Every structure is written in structure tokens, then in C-alpha cells.
Amino acid sequence: STLSSSSAASDVYKRQTITYPTLMEIDFGAIQVLGDALWRNGIKRPLICTDKGVVDCGVFDMVRSVLPNEITPTVFDGTPGNPTEKAVREALALYKENDCDGIIAIGGGSSIDLGKGVALTASHDGPINDWSAMNGGKDKIGKAPPIIAIPTTAGTGSEVGGGSVLITDDGHKVVVVSSNLIPKMAICDPELTLSLPKHLTAATGMDAMAHCIEAYLTNAINPPAAAIGLDGLERVVTYLKRAVDDGNDRDARWNMMMAASEGAMAFAKGLGSVHSMSHAVGANDKLGAHHGTLNAVFLPTVLRFNADHVGNKYEQLRRAMGLADNADISDWISEYNQTLGLPENLGAMGVTADMVPGLATHCMTDACHFANPKRPTVEEYEKMFIEAIG
């Protein structure tokens, strides 16, 4: 359905199309449906996109063990922490060489995003930037090979979305978005997250929080997405610390996996400057900064910037987070980051003041920049980066 925006909404959002097409299976033991998912989507020769961490910890073997005997998989386990166009090409070469007919993406957002990149380049010619959101890719991307997504972290939500964030050959992080890149099925088995280390549990969980908060704050009119975002936020605040403290807390792991998927469903409304800033830093391969950790560090700074541009939305955020009416959300998140063992500021992650002008410029061409409640200027981005460096 299509809903007309109110006069208070940004001129950018004249209407909002509401679609949630991913078939999602969530529960302990959900990977048992993988064979059926492959059969339903006509996949007999899948390319499995994953990373060495997933292979080394044994999670890959858990998934591989449920593949039907008649399935002939090819494995690409070279997904980098921030997926690149180069890695996509390497995986695509395997896809073509083995005449693959679909993709199984196993891992965090990086592996799932890389899988989407392979699906795109297997069916569309030209460099990835030609298909980015900034270059109109959303309306140009056509049919692509089917993807089955199996998340092993609870944060990105890429398993239920059509977006992929990739570093192009020229060193920019770009967003590729299309309904044709949405996985045909998301198999969300919290069992696969039990071995996730504390620091990754924390970082990916804060990624989910950032999605829920930023999506809720955009000007887009999409009440279902807004409600889903608030529900996801409440789950993160309730269960993330429990999952970090005790990785075998099955109730916490289930709820965090749901919160992660809800965060991605919510950002049907768009995201904002937290992600623009994270993408800018994440494009620097020398830093190797984790996306979820960056989101956690940037959230307090961007929330302060947005405070005067979102009406009474912070009141609803406080209610979802269980905070007092006069609580400072930015201060609360900064303190929460510390209880989770995350870096105190951007400086602790290796970002220095001399990098700021280039980072601020990168933000201005990031797709998420355009959905922030108030679009920052280059100078305002520079001030936020300096504040976040600490």
C-alpha cells in the first residue's frame, strides 16, 4: 500500500511504499529448513558466501551438515570485515566457474552483503558504483539469482533487507538497494550466535539499536516500520547486556536475533547520519573499524545534533528504552557502551583530527545522509567527527 505523507514531512518523502517480502524462519534449530528453502527456490548448485571466522568456529559445519546430499555447493570464505568490490569479483569468479544457480550467505552483515554483491554482478554488467543508490540503482536493478541468508550475528538485519554496503575499487563505501536483492528466505537460528564473542555480541547488538533509532527518527511516513523499530529498540535495551554477560542465555539470544531483523525492517524508513559517518570511517581499510562499533560511538553525537529537529520523537524513544522522562538519551547510550566494553570514543579506534575533512566530505555523498531529519553541512559533520574523537 502507499501512504501519502503529512505536510510536516520532508519534501523528499512524498509517499512511502510498505513491503515486507522476506520469508523468515526464526527459532533454535531453524537451519533444518535449509534443504526445503533450496528446493523452493530451485537452487541445486549454491555458492556459499561466508568468512574464515564462521568456518573456524564450527558454525559453518553446523550449516553444511544439513545440506541435502543432492546439493553441490561451492564455498567462498574470503569475505573481509568490510566487504569490497574486489572480494565480490573473487566470489563471482567461483560462481561462474562452477555454474552456480543461487547463493547461501552465512555470517554477519559482511557475508550477507557480499552475497548480495555477487547476485548483483552475476546478473548485471559494470562496476558496482553504477548500481548504487546514489546513481539510481534502486530503479535499475532487475532480476538477480536467489539468496538464502543465514545470519550468525544479531545486528545488521541484512537477512531481511535489500540493501548491501560495499567498498568500491576507488575506496568509497556505497549502498546498493533493490527489492530484487532481498533474500528469498532468512533462516534465523539463534543457536548459531551462541559462540559469538562478547565484543562482537556487543558491537552487533548496538548496530541493531542504531538501526531502530535512526529509522524511527527519519521523516518518512511509515507507521508499521516505526512501530517495529520501537519494538526492536525495547528488545535491545532489555536483552543485549544479558547476551553479552552470558552468551548461552538462549532467551537473550533469541530476542536479539529478532531485534536485529526488526532493525532492518524498520529502516524501510531510511537511516541517517550515524550510518553516513560510519560508512566514511569504514571505507578506510587501514583502520579496519567494525561497523556496529562505529554506530555505537556515533549514536550519542548524532542524537545531540538531531535533538531539535525531530519534534517529540525522543519522548517515544525514552518510553521504549524504559528511561525517565527527563533522561538524556545520548548520555545514557555513552554509558551503556562502556558497560558493554565498547570504545569510549572515535579516538580510541584510531581516528585522528587530520582525517576529519575527508571523512566529512565522504558523508555528503552517502545515501543515508539524505534521510537524516536535518541534513548536516560539511562543517557540521566536521564538528560531529571532532566531538566523537573525544
Side-chain angles (χ1 to χ4, degrees):
S1 64
T2 300
L3 303 181
S4 297
S5 66
S6 70
S7 59
S10 166
D11 289 340
V12 176
Y13 301 100
K14 288 297 186 184
R15 64 182 184 180
Q16 178 69 42
T17 301
I18 300 173
T19 309
Y20 291 108
T22 303
L23 180 61
M24 177 181 172
E25 291 280 349
I26 177 168
D27 206 355
F28 287 90
I31 58 169
Q32 297 298 326
V33 307
L34 177 57
D36 181 61
L38 295 170
W39 175 80
R40 277 198 240 177
N41 290 284
I43 302 174
K44 296 181 179 179
R45 298 177 304 280
L47 175 70
I48 299 178
C49 293
T50 189
D51 63 65
K52 289 182 170 54
V54 171
V55 173
D56 292 344
C57 74
V59 168
F60 174 79
D61 290 336
M62 292 172 63
V63 177
R64 181 108 183 225
S65 69
V66 301
L67 282 175
N69 292 331
E70 63 270 21
I71 297 298
T72 306
T74 299
V75 179
F76 176 80
D77 65 0
T79 304
N82 288 293
T84 63
E85 188 168 10
K86 178 177 180 291
V88 169
R89 281 199 302 273
E90 293 170 356
L92 177 64
L94 285 176
Y95 186 95
K96 291 182 174 180
E97 179 183 335
N98 293 279
D99 192 28
C100 295
D101 55 6
I103 293 159
I104 303 173
I106 307 171
S110 297
S111 293
I112 299 173
D113 281 7
L114 183 127
K116 293 175 184 176
V118 175
L120 171 68
T121 54
S123 50
H124 298 73
D125 295 328
I128 284 174
N129 194 46
D130 287 355
W131 305 100
S132 70
M134 288 297 295
N135 287 322
K138 185 176 182 179
D139 297 322
K140 296 189 297 182
I141 295 172
K143 187 177 180 181
I147 304 168
I148 307 297
I150 306 176
T152 61
T153 66
T156 175
S158 188
E159 65 273 6
V160 296
S164 175
V165 182
L166 302 164
I167 300 177
T168 58
D169 289 336
D170 63 0
H172 279 75
K173 256 197 173 186
V174 300
V175 179
V176 177
V177 181
S178 171
S179 59
N180 290 310
L181 296 178
I182 298 174
K184 298 299 183 183
M185 177 176 277
I187 301 176
C188 302
D189 190 335
E191 190 83 35
L192 305 183
T193 70
L194 295 181
S195 61
L196 198 65
K198 286 180 182 291
H199 71 282
L200 284 178
T201 298
T204 55
M206 288 304 294
D207 192 18
M209 178 184 283
H211 293 161
C212 293
I213 290 176
E214 281 218 288
Y216 179 72
L217 293 178
T218 68
N219 292 325
I221 307 302
N222 187 330
I228 290 170
L230 290 173
D231 186 81
L233 176 59
E234 182 177 354
R235 291 178 194 274
V236 175
V237 172
T238 304
Y239 293 101
L240 176 55
K241 186 66 165 56
R242 281 177 51 177
V244 171
D245 290 344
D246 179 6
N248 290 311
D249 185 330
R250 296 169 74 85
D251 189 35
R253 290 295 194 183
W254 190 98
N255 277 281
M256 282 307 303
M257 183 150 276
M258 176 59 76
S261 293
E262 286 183 307
M265 293 177 193
F267 67 62
K269 286 178 89 268
L271 290 168
S273 292
V274 170
H275 277 73
S276 296
M277 297 173 78
S278 292
H279 292 160
V281 177
N284 186 324
D285 57 358
K286 293 181 180 178
L287 290 173
H290 184 270
H291 176 69
T293 306
L294 288 169
N295 282 345
V297 171
F298 283 128
L299 252 177
T301 296
V302 176
L303 283 170
R304 291 188 187 99
F305 176 82
N306 285 336
D308 295 331
H309 309 287
V310 294
N312 63 356
K313 287 184 177 180
Y314 281 19
E315 295 175 13
Q316 189 64 47
L317 290 182
R318 291 187 186 95
R319 282 194 286 271
M321 298 169 75
L323 305 182
D325 291 344
N326 61 348
D328 187 303
I329 299 175
S330 294
D331 288 347
W332 187 92
I333 292 174
S334 293
E335 293 170 5
Y336 192 61
N337 285 339
Q338 293 183 47
T339 69
L340 297 175
L342 294 172
E344 183 178 358
N345 53 44
L346 205 57
M349 300 178 70
V351 179
T352 55
D354 63 294
M355 300 177 183
V356 167
L359 295 173
T361 300
H362 189 292
C363 291
M364 299 300 292
T365 58
D366 183 81
C368 297
H369 161 73
F370 298 93
N372 202 62
K374 177 186 182 294
R375 296 179 192 172
T377 63
V378 171
E379 292 76 19
E380 287 169 330
Y381 272 121
E382 289 178 349
K383 288 179 181 177
M384 285 194 285
F385 274 112
I386 293 298
E387 176 184 328
I389 287 173

